[in-house]
Amino acid sequence: MIVRERDHDFILIQQDHHAAISGDIVKRWKKDYFPGVDLRSSVEFAAYQHDCGWKEFDKQPFLNDEKGIPYSFFDFPIQPKIVLYKHGIDVVEQVDSYAALLCSEHYKRFLMNHTSLEAQEFVTTENTRQQAIIDTRNAFNKRLFNFHYGLIQFSDNLSLYLCVNEPGIDKEAEHPFFKEGIPMNQALHEFCNSTLQLHWKNGNTVVLDDFPFEEPFDVIVKQKVISKNDLSAKGLIASYEEAALEESKVTITTS
C-alpha cells in the first residue's frame, strides 16, 4: 500500500493501481527510443504486473500497531514483504518468463543489501530463477535486458512520484525521494538525461523537462481517503472497505 498522510486523513493507493500507471508510462515510451521492440509486450506486461503480489493484501490493509497508522510499502515488515515479492514473480512467470525476469531483478535489487537471512535467501533464490529463465531462451542480450530493466525502474519511480506527492505540491515540499528529480538508469542515457527533472504545474498536470514519450498523455490515479476519526472508531479494514474509490486524471506533459 502507498500511504500519504494529511492533517485529518490518510490517502491509500493500492500497489496494483500504482503498477497500472507504471504500465501506462512504459506503453507511451517513444517507439524510436525502444531497442528490442520484439520484447516490448513483455516489458509492458512486467510494468503493469510488477506489484501484482500485493493485490489481495491491499484489499484489507495492515495497521502499524506501534504507530497507529496504516503500513505503507516503505515500512511493511520484511518477512511478509518477501513472501509477497516471490508470489508476484511466480504469478508473472506463469504468463511471461521475460517479464518475470524483469520483475525478479526489480525486487532482488531492493533486498541485495538487506542483512536479514530471509532477504539474502530471497536474493539467492532469485539469482537461481533468473539463470533458469535465461537458460531456456534461445538468445539473451544483457544490454537489452539492462535497458528494459531501466524502463521498469523509471516507470515505477514516475508512478510513485504521482502517488506519494500531494497533487499540485510546490517543488520544495515534494517527497524527499524526488526533490532532485528522478535518477535514470545508465542504460537509458542514450535517450534521456541522467536525471529527469519534473514538477507539478497544477493539481492535475505534471511537467517533465526531458520528455521520452510520443506525446502528452493521461493516467488515472485511484485512491481511497479514510479519516483519522474513522480509523480510530472503526479500525483500518472497516474504514478502508467503506471508503469510496476515487479516481483523478493526471496529464503528463512537457514544458
Side-chain angles (χ1 to χ4, degrees), residues 216-233:
F217 62 99
D218 298 332
V219 297
I220 302 297
V221 178
K222 299 179 181 180
Q223 64 184 35
K224 287 190 174 187
V225 181
I226 61 171
S227 73
K228 293 181 178 179
N229 287 338
D230 283 347
L231 177 60
S232 297

Side-chain angles (χ1 to χ4, degrees), residues 109-140:
R109 293 201 185 193
F110 287 164
L111 297 178
M112 284 182 66
N113 296 320
H114 200 284
T115 57
S116 74
L117 176 62
E118 293 81 7
Q120 291 307 305
E121 287 178 344
F122 173 83
V123 170
T124 299
T125 299
E126 290 309 310
N127 281 333
T128 301
R129 182 203 302 262
Q130 290 182 20
Q131 190 59 54
I133 292 173
I134 290 170
D135 288 346
T136 64
R137 302 186 65 84
N138 292 329
F140 177 73

Side-chain angles (χ1 to χ4, degrees), residues 106-171:
H106 191 56
Y107 282 131
K108 187 188 79 173
R109 293 201 185 193
F110 287 164
L111 297 178
M112 284 182 66
N113 296 320
H114 200 284
T115 57
S116 74
L117 176 62
E118 293 81 7
Q120 291 307 305
E121 287 178 344
F122 173 83
V123 170
T124 299
T125 299
E126 290 309 310
N127 281 333
T128 301
R129 182 203 302 262
Q130 290 182 20
Q131 190 59 54
I133 292 173
I134 290 170
D135 288 346
T136 64
R137 302 186 65 84
N138 292 329
F140 177 73
N141 186 316
K142 181 66 172 177
R143 182 187 65 83
L144 279 182
F145 177 78
N146 289 341
F147 177 84
H148 296 152
Y149 171 67
L151 281 182
I152 300 299
Q153 278 187 313
F154 166 64
S155 67
D156 187 39
N157 283 328
L158 180 52
S159 176
L160 193 60
Y161 176 88
L162 304 179
C163 295
V164 300
N165 286 308
E166 197 68 28
I169 196 169
D170 291 337
K171 187 67 184 176

Side-chain angles (χ1 to χ4, degrees), residues 2-3 15 18 72-75 81 110 153 156-165 171-184 195-198:
I2 296 171
V3 180
Q15 292 283 102
H18 141 74
S72 77
F73 74 98
F74 288 115
D75 59 1
K81 186 185 288 186
F110 287 164
Q153 278 187 313
D156 187 39
N157 283 328
L158 180 52
S159 176
L160 193 60
Y161 176 88
L162 304 179
C163 295
V164 300
N165 286 308
K171 187 67 184 176
E172 59 270 18
E174 286 182 356
H175 192 283
F177 279 8
F178 301 111
K179 284 185 178 181
E180 304 301 321
I182 295 177
M184 304 295 280
T195 302
L196 185 144
Q197 300 298 330
L198 71 173

Side-chain angles (χ1 to χ4, degrees), residues 7-207:
D7 289 340
H8 303 292
D9 51 39
F10 291 100
I11 312 300
L12 278 70
I13 299 174
Q14 293 184 24
Q15 292 283 102
D16 190 52
H17 293 161
H18 141 74
I21 299 172
S22 300
D24 288 344
I25 289 167
V26 173
K27 196 169 185 176
R28 297 287 187 159
W29 187 266
K30 281 185 179 179
K31 294 180 177 62
D32 291 344
Y33 288 7
F34 201 105
V37 66
D38 56 313
L39 292 167
R40 181 157 191 158
S41 62
S42 294
V43 180
E44 291 177 0
F45 185 74
Y48 275 116
Q49 298 298 323
H50 77 270
D51 276 334
C52 67
W54 293 88
K55 189 173 183 178
E56 300 305 320
F57 267 52
D58 278 356
K59 290 179 179 179
Q60 293 187 323
F62 288 74
L63 185 71
N64 184 327
D65 55 352
E66 180 181 357
K67 298 180 180 179
I69 63 176
Y71 269 118
S72 77
F73 74 98
F74 288 115
D75 59 1
F76 197 71
I78 189 66
Q79 292 191 31
K81 186 185 288 186
I82 289 171
V83 173
L84 298 182
Y85 285 176
K86 181 182 181 303
H87 172 61
I89 302 166
D90 289 345
V91 170
V92 172
E93 188 173 11
Q94 291 175 10
V95 180
D96 188 312
S97 63
Y98 191 77
L101 193 63
L102 291 166
C103 292
S104 174
E105 183 70 9
H106 191 56
Y107 282 131
K108 187 188 79 173
R109 293 201 185 193
F110 287 164
L111 297 178
M112 284 182 66
N113 296 320
H114 200 284
T115 57
S116 74
L117 176 62
E118 293 81 7
Q120 291 307 305
E121 287 178 344
F122 173 83
V123 170
T124 299
T125 299
E126 290 309 310
N127 281 333
T128 301
R129 182 203 302 262
Q130 290 182 20
Q131 190 59 54
I133 292 173
I134 290 170
D135 288 346
T136 64
R137 302 186 65 84
N138 292 329
F140 177 73
N141 186 316
K142 181 66 172 177
R143 182 187 65 83
L144 279 182
F145 177 78
N146 289 341
F147 177 84
H148 296 152
Y149 171 67
L151 281 182
I152 300 299
Q153 278 187 313
F154 166 64
S155 67
D156 187 39
N157 283 328
L158 180 52
S159 176
L160 193 60
Y161 176 88
L162 304 179
C163 295
V164 300
N165 286 308
E166 197 68 28
I169 196 169
D170 291 337
K171 187 67 184 176
E172 59 270 18
E174 286 182 356
H175 192 283
F177 279 8
F178 301 111
K179 284 185 178 181
E180 304 301 321
I182 295 177
M184 304 295 280
N185 188 297
Q186 187 174 0
L188 305 183
H189 291 180
E190 179 182 353
F191 304 107
C192 56
N193 296 325
S194 59
T195 302
L196 185 144
Q197 300 298 330
L198 71 173
H199 66 275
W200 286 87
K201 180 179 180 180
N202 52 49
N204 55 15
T205 306
V206 168
V207 175

